[in-house]
Amino acid sequence: MKKFLLLLLTAAILHGCSSTSAPAESNETQPPAANEPATPAPTQPQEPAPAPEAGQEDPEPTSDMTYGNDIFQKVTVRKTGEDTFEVKGQAKVFEAVVSYVVEDGHNELAEGSFTTSAGAPEFGDFTYTLKVKKAEPNSTLLLILFEKSAKDGSRQMELIISLPEK
């Protein structure tokens, strides 16, 4: 009898927690939602999703992708030569300085910084030509744009972009 009451109480609590628009009292009881599939939690950190360009619903993965987060917007990367890339966009960063690192998943291949046309709290425009050569031919290069913390120099608000192959 105790097991039945415990099961009934558990079912009532689960029903009350999962119901948002159902009436407060109900004469029917539902079994616990143990058979419903749970949504798995992501196992890897999520990158900011590329923002679709105006007039596009779901952009195809090309070099014309537009990326952004809270301090970067309208960022595009275009391959202009064998080891050369043009990075354009807008940034709202302290003293108008954008820092970057290019890595292949194992090693940092390039790092540096460049300036925008305006510092925070305004968005400043930037165009930067990046030269970086792959260490391994089958690797994927990642450009990480970020703002350095004025307090401790740590990376703030990273924007991770896969550099185009073509």
Side-chain angles (χ1 to χ4, degrees):
M1 184 68 177
K2 289 182 184 179
K3 290 181 182 178
F4 177 72
L5 288 175
L6 183 60
L7 180 62
L8 187 61
L9 180 60
T10 304
I13 289 172
L14 288 175
H15 178 70
C17 290
S18 65
S19 177
T20 56
S21 61
E25 290 189 21
S26 176
N27 291 336
E28 60 184 46
T29 59
Q30 295 180 350
N35 293 336
E36 293 180 16
T39 304
T43 57
Q44 296 178 343
Q46 300 294 311
E47 301 182 17
E53 293 184 23
Q56 289 184 340
E57 291 298 317
D58 191 12
E60 293 296 319
T62 65
S63 60
D64 294 346
M65 296 283 287
T66 302
Y67 301 88
N69 62 15
D70 289 346
I71 65 169
F72 295 103
Q73 65 183 18
K74 302 177 185 172
V75 178
T76 60
V77 179
R78 186 172 59 94
K79 188 167 186 172
T80 58
E82 187 172 328
D83 300 323
T84 310
F85 302 89
E86 180 183 65
V87 184
K88 284 185 175 183
Q90 296 178 330
K92 179 172 50 172
V93 291
F94 180 68
E95 293 186 348
V97 177
V98 174
S99 297
Y100 71 88
V101 171
V102 178
E103 63 179 45
D104 63 2
H106 301 286
N107 302 306
E108 290 185 358
L109 304 175
E111 65 179 318
S113 61
F114 54 88
T115 58
T116 68
S117 63
E122 303 297 321
F123 275 96
D125 297 324
F126 65 86
T127 300
Y128 184 73
T129 300
L130 174 68
K131 287 186 162 243
V132 62
K133 185 171 179 74
K134 287 184 176 184
E136 298 294 325
N138 292 331
S139 62
T140 300
L141 297 179
L142 297 174
L143 169 64
I144 305 169
L145 299 176
F146 59 93
E147 176 182 39
K148 279 191 177 177
S149 168
K151 181 178 178 182
D152 61 7
S154 63
R155 295 180 184 182
Q156 305 291 314
M157 299 301 297
E158 290 183 338
L159 180 63
I160 302 170
I161 303 169
S162 180
L163 292 178
E165 296 290 325
K166 297 177 185 180

